[in-house]
Amino acid sequence: MPEAKPFEIPKQLVWDAYRRVKVNRGAAGVDGESVMMFEKDLKRNLYKIWNRMSSGSYFPPAVRRVEIPKDNGSVRPLGIPTVGDRVAQTVVKMVLETIVEPVFHPDSYGYRPGKSALDAVSVARTRCWKANWVIDLDIKDFFGSISHKLVERAVAHHTDLAWVRLYVARWLRALFDATTAHSSIRLKERPKAEW
């Protein structure tokens, strides 16, 4: 009889996460593997992600760092995970999102399902006719300076799923690949798991 995994992560969840990653496509990570290359051995790759996440032995690979030019001449660093790591991150996102989405403020638009920057602009445009003031906030280097401990505490406040907390902590500590630090980039009915 096979030994039970310490974390119950459905294979279907990994499959659904992969489908989302495939739709988003995205650039290759430090391993140089594109979504198309990942799909050449799809069943094995997805099984490996599920097996490692379920057993607690999943560790994220280094993140490829690219610099995005800003209008003011400076650059914004961007981390690009491998395709497999994006699948694993999406697994956690899908679980955590269902828990925290109901507690977000209705006027929060960033990185929310079903909400976009255009939605935020539309609401702002409507409200400009009702009030003669506006607050414009920008937290400098928010994602680069937020305390990882605070993020972990916030996640722990909303879920007691040990595997979600474990992998969020590991992603917060994932390394940038120094060899790619100076490259730049310009951004421009569900199927069942078959493995």
Side-chain angles (χ1 to χ4, degrees):
M1 183 162 142
E3 185 179 324
K5 303 282 186 192
F7 302 127
E8 290 185 35
I9 301 172
K11 287 181 179 178
Q12 183 66 47
L13 185 60
V14 177
W15 174 255
D16 292 344
Y18 152 72
R19 303 277 298 165
R20 289 187 184 189
V21 168
K22 180 179 179 171
V23 168
N24 290 339
R25 297 190 342 228
V30 293
D31 60 0
E33 184 177 58
S34 67
V35 172
M36 195 179 333
M37 293 164 68
F38 183 85
E39 289 177 330
K40 288 183 179 175
D41 198 1
L42 182 61
K43 288 180 183 181
R44 186 178 146 279
N45 286 332
L46 292 180
Y47 179 82
K48 188 167 51 172
I49 292 166
W50 170 80
N51 188 44
R52 289 180 180 169
M53 289 186 79
S54 297
S55 67
S57 65
Y58 182 81
F59 286 89
V63 176
R64 183 166 70 100
R65 180 182 170 145
V66 296
E67 294 175 341
I68 314 259
K70 294 170 77 173
D71 291 340
N72 66 6
S74 64
V75 293
R76 180 174 65 88
L78 176 70
I80 302 176
T82 64
V83 174
D85 198 38
R86 288 200 302 267
V87 171
Q89 288 179 18
T90 303
V91 167
V92 171
K93 175 188 180 283
M94 290 168 65
V95 169
L96 193 55
E97 193 171 71
T98 61
I99 297 166
V100 298
E101 182 63 27
V103 299
F104 283 149
H105 192 280
D107 283 344
S108 172
Y109 290 90
Y111 307 102
R112 301 271 308 278
K115 293 193 173 197
S116 69
L118 291 177
D119 294 329
V121 170
S122 176
V123 169
R125 183 175 290 142
T126 302
R127 290 184 182 162
C128 283
W129 294 105
K130 297 177 182 177
N132 61 358
W133 55 269
V134 66
I135 298 173
D136 183 16
L137 296 173
D138 185 17
I139 301 172
K140 183 178 180 183
D141 193 31
F142 177 77
F143 291 109
S145 61
I146 189 168
S147 164
H148 291 175
K149 289 288 183 202
L150 287 177
V151 173
E152 290 177 62
R153 282 179 42 203
V155 170
H157 174 77
H158 291 286
T159 184
D160 58 355
L161 291 170
W163 66 272
V164 169
R165 294 165 63 173
L166 172 69
Y167 295 126
V168 167
R170 287 182 183 170
W171 281 308
L172 288 170
R173 288 160 184 77
L175 300 173
F176 273 116
D177 179 34
T179 61
T180 60
H182 299 293
S183 60
S184 65
I185 189 171
R186 293 260 184 227
L187 293 176
K188 316 186 196 180
E189 192 142 89
R190 74 181 186 192
K192 295 290 180 192
E194 298 174 8
W195 40 278

